[in-house]
Amino acid sequence: MQSILSGTASATGENFFPALAKNLAKALDVPYVFVWEKINDPIPRLRSLAFWSTDRFVKNFEADLENTPCNTVLESQQLCYYPKDLQQYFPNNPLLEQLDAESYIGAPLFDVDQNVIGNLSIVDVKPLQTDK
């Protein structure tokens, strides 16, 4: 937690989400962290605001929302956790296939009026373990 806080404490504006993604990935020892915003143009999609991939940032991009764990987060408006077998829950998802994704944790991001505007996603190529 200290490394996340110290790594993001000085980041503001556009630099905050990349700093958050990088520091979360390093603190949790996971290869992928995304910060997504939901867009409706003309259908609901995701746009990355930050994407940390193993050891670097990847250029921001847009992705379909359908058949994604992110959609589950946005619809439920709560944390979603898939500790293993992620691709079995979301078959034929090209991004999950490309990342060789095995597990996922996603949390909704809210605006000041408590509307869900995006999500924070942690993706791993191995099962995620939680402390009991």
Side-chain angles (χ1 to χ4, degrees):
M1 185 61 96
Q2 182 61 40
S3 66
I4 296 169
L5 293 174
S6 63
T8 57
S10 63
T12 59
E14 290 181 15
N15 295 325
F16 177 75
F17 290 129
L20 176 62
K22 178 181 178 180
N23 287 290
L24 264 177
K26 291 186 177 295
L28 299 174
D29 191 28
V30 296
Y32 307 112
V33 175
F34 296 86
V35 179
W36 296 104
E37 71 175 325
K38 182 180 173 188
I39 56 174
N40 294 307
D41 186 26
I43 60 170
R45 293 178 53 82
L46 296 170
R47 178 184 301 137
S48 63
L49 299 175
F51 173 25
W52 181 258
S53 177
T54 309
D55 61 355
R56 63 187 168 83
F57 289 104
V58 173
K59 184 178 177 183
N60 288 326
F61 63 98
E62 291 184 12
D64 290 332
L65 186 55
E66 188 176 326
N67 188 37
T68 67
C70 296
N71 194 39
T72 305
V73 172
L74 296 175
E75 287 182 352
S76 69
Q77 299 187 15
Q78 60 186 351
L79 183 88
C80 291
Y81 175 54
Y82 298 89
K84 63 180 183 171
D85 302 323
L86 180 63
Q87 292 185 59
Q88 291 179 17
Y89 291 100
F90 302 95
N92 304 314
N93 179 300
L95 181 57
L96 297 179
E97 290 174 11
Q98 179 183 356
L99 299 178
D100 195 27
E102 173 67 17
S103 53
Y104 172 96
I105 298 175
L109 300 175
F110 298 94
D111 66 11
V112 294
D113 296 319
Q114 296 303 302
N115 298 308
V116 177
I117 57 171
N119 80 321
L120 174 65
S121 303
I122 298 164
V123 177
D124 204 343
V125 296
K126 59 188 184 301
L128 285 171
Q129 301 297 317
T130 59
D131 294 337
K132 294 182 179 181

